[in-house]
Amino acid sequence: MSTAAVAQLQAQVNHLQHELSTVKTAEQSPHTGEQIFIGQYLVERLVQLGVTKMFGVPGDFNLGFLDFVEDHPKIDWVGNCNELNAGYAADGYARVKEGGLGVITTTFGVGELSATNAIAGAFSEHVPVLHIVGVPSTSQQKNKPMLHHTLGDGRYDAYYRAAQQFAIASANLDSKDTAAAEIDRVLTECIVRARPVYLMLPTDLAYQKIPAYRLKTPINQEPPENDPDVEAFAIDEITKLIQAAKHETIILVDACAIRHGVKKEVAELVRRTGFPVYSAPMGKTSFDEQYERYGGIYVGSISHPEIKEKVESAKLILSIGALKSDFNTGNFTYHVPIARTIELHSDSLSVQYATFPGIGMKRLLPKLTARLQPFEPTATLIPVPKFEYPVPREDNEIITQSYLWPRIGQFLRAKDIVVAETGTSSFGMLEVPFPTGAMFVSQILWGSIGWTVGATLGAALAGQELGYKRTILFVGDGSIQLTVQELSVMIRSGLKPIIFVLNNKGYTIERYLHGMTRKYNDISNWKWTNLLDTLGGEEGKTCQSYRVGTKSELSKLLDDPTFASAQKIQLVEMLMDPHDAPNALKRQAELSGKTNRYVAELPAAGQSAV
């Protein structure tokens, strides 16, 4: 049976177990007659799961439901400028609230389709987001009048069918008798499988009453149990391989270690065994980058030479939560053969060429750690390169990419959330060692331009709840133009992020991929230091803007205690060379360009193209 089939079967078993628990609760509860609106039931479930913010845009098919949201004392409505940004914000919120979920509410058709790009990105990167869609009443869906926001041809299920491509589970609530069970089912799938789910809430059904007793049975947030016999056999095989490798094993951590909640288990594995640990780009800050056994970021052929040598020469690699996308692997230049690899995932385990569907890493890791602890005396003898990125000495005042990122590294603190746009920012940040307790947020697989602005809004709100001190955004001038409106929501919400805008006159990552001097990679140059004031701030009071064009100006600002304290929302425009980029990005772009196989030479004058 395939891994996907096993995961689906486990989900069905979990759902049945939950339903049995609710039946027992109903039989034992003396208050089974208490009633609650379906819309209220949904909000209460979200509050139980730790959701305190809901993102989205109001529309006539969700307004009644939003009354329940606004009236609840423990959840806040964060109105966004558009649905795409709302989806990005829900994504950023969920990433910071590890183990929780983000929620976006839109209206039928025009609203939900605008959010689709954001939901697809969350799906690709394993981010749990609930998409609630206010839809026409159950009678309208049955009779199919030509309502606004429809396609005009009676296909009321068209958007539902489209949404299923980007959701791990979906439900069209069409009966009050099954509504609560369906809500519980999709929420369970969202949390346990860490991917988006889609929920249609008809206008009339939101205001129908159902028994409230189900709320006394908590949503199961734990992954399925592993088959004990298969798990024991797999641990035996892993142990044998490590013994055969004479304990020369390394650990490589990736994105799904974060998304599927095993950061603590990985930390315990490293602490008790002493094996060297590295991370992939999408796994950055999945492990404490100041820990003595942490060696840095492995990105295939574009890795730092010493890191590349240590990873690729290891006799055995314990890979945890891998997502082997092009930008995450140096354009698929990982040199880690299957014969030397053990892969742990949320819903499967691979030991060399054998796959064990249904053996999830969350329950496996503690048992594996206990088994491997005796290897600690020899494992700690394996050398680990020191992960550091010193500021280079450059005899000029230009803010170069090679200078900027290590200098920013000196500015970072514990309990910072750093959000980096795909491109120069994310590639530049990879080599920067983060302080203990800092978090890196980036969208390396989906790579939707402008994602970081909405994600910063969600990340900052989640960071407030969790005690993070600062939220810092690094974004290019081209990227921020797509989603800049959300700065106004940050101001309205009283958030105080520090926003570094890299003004390099266009799309630098695209220039390196193709068309270095083409005008399609150019953009309009905005008056960046006027943005915050225009979008609702009061310059000098509620917001502050800066423009730096030299190393000295930048360093002076970074060393300013008032600036660093982040007491108000701040924007820094950094003037940079449009043809400069981090070395890792240059190497990645070169590899990607070869893969894309653009025509290298145009036909000469007078010749025709074949």
Side-chain angles (χ1 to χ4, degrees), residues 120-146:
F123 185 92
S124 73
E125 300 219 349
H126 291 248
V127 181
V129 173
L130 167 65
H131 187 184
I132 303 169
V133 182
V135 301
S137 68
T138 51
S139 62
Q140 287 174 321
Q141 291 186 57
K142 181 180 179 180
N143 296 323
K144 297 179 173 54
M146 193 180 291

Side-chain angles (χ1 to χ4, degrees), residues 250 252 298 300 307-308 310-314 316-319 322 324 329 332-343 353:
I250 67 157
L252 182 60
Y298 175 65
I307 294 172
K308 182 177 184 294
K310 293 295 184 185
V311 172
E312 295 178 2
S313 65
L316 196 64
I317 296 171
L318 195 60
S319 170
K324 297 179 182 177
T329 63
F332 311 114
T333 58
Y334 263 28
H335 290 288
V336 284
I338 295 175
R340 290 194 279 127
T341 305
I342 298 162
E343 285 200 12
Y353 298 96

Side-chain angles (χ1 to χ4, degrees), residues 22-75:
T22 61
V23 170
K24 291 178 181 178
T25 299
E27 292 173 347
Q28 297 168 0
S29 174
H31 304 293
T32 54
E34 184 182 350
Q35 298 280 299
I36 189 172
F37 291 115
I38 290 174
Q40 288 178 310
Y41 181 92
L42 175 54
V43 174
E44 288 293 342
R45 276 302 197 202
L46 295 176
V47 170
Q48 288 179 355
L49 292 172
V51 175
T52 64
K53 309 292 179 185
M54 183 182 293
F55 305 93
V57 177
D60 56 344
F61 293 122
N62 66 28
L63 294 175
F65 169 67
L66 294 186
D67 286 345
F68 295 130
V69 177
E70 187 168 321
D71 292 343
H72 199 289
K74 294 185 178 180
I75 192 166

Side-chain angles (χ1 to χ4, degrees), residues 10-11 69 71 87 90 103 165 227 229 289-290 302 352 370 403 409 411-412 431 460 466-467 484 490 530 544 604:
Q10 288 176 331
V69 177
D71 292 343
V103 183
Q165 306 304 310
D227 182 297
D229 293 333
E289 297 190 347
Q290 298 299 317
I302 67 176
Q352 296 178 310
Y403 168 85
F411 176 71
L412 299 183
E431 294 184 272
L466 299 175
V484 69
M490 297 178 201
N530 293 346
Q544 193 71 51

Side-chain angles (χ1 to χ4, degrees), residues 19 22 35 38 41 173-183 205 208-211 213-214:
E19 290 306 298
T22 61
Q35 298 280 299
I38 290 174
Y41 181 92
L173 304 184
D174 56 8
S175 168
K176 71 174 187 177
D177 296 330
T178 58
E182 286 290 86
I183 289 169
L205 209 63
Q208 291 191 30
K209 285 194 168 183
I210 57 174
Y213 68 85
R214 292 180 60 99

Side-chain angles (χ1 to χ4, degrees), residues 135-214:
V135 301
S137 68
T138 51
S139 62
Q140 287 174 321
Q141 291 186 57
K142 181 180 179 180
N143 296 323
K144 297 179 173 54
M146 193 180 291
L147 285 181
H148 61 290
H149 299 343
T150 69
L151 298 170
D153 60 3
R155 286 185 295 149
Y156 274 65
D157 66 341
Y159 315 134
Y160 177 76
R161 290 161 66 90
Q164 288 180 308
Q165 306 304 310
F166 316 109
I168 203 72
S170 54
N172 179 9
L173 304 184
D174 56 8
S175 168
K176 71 174 187 177
D177 296 330
T178 58
E182 286 290 86
I183 289 169
D184 289 357
R185 177 180 64 83
V186 297
L187 287 175
T188 301
E189 290 286 272
C190 186
I191 292 289
V192 173
R193 301 177 72 181
R195 274 187 160 162
V197 294
Y198 176 88
L199 186 67
M200 289 173 62
L201 181 60
T203 54
D204 59 328
L205 209 63
Y207 277 81
Q208 291 191 30
K209 285 194 168 183
I210 57 174
Y213 68 85
R214 292 180 60 99

Side-chain angles (χ1 to χ4, degrees), residues 478 481 504-507 511 515-525 578-579:
Q481 289 192 2
N504 48 19
K505 298 184 173 64
Y507 304 123
R511 294 189 198 280
M516 179 62 76
T517 60
R518 292 288 187 175
K519 66 180 181 181
Y520 52 66
N521 285 326
D522 298 335
I523 62 167
S524 301
N525 189 34
H579 299 129

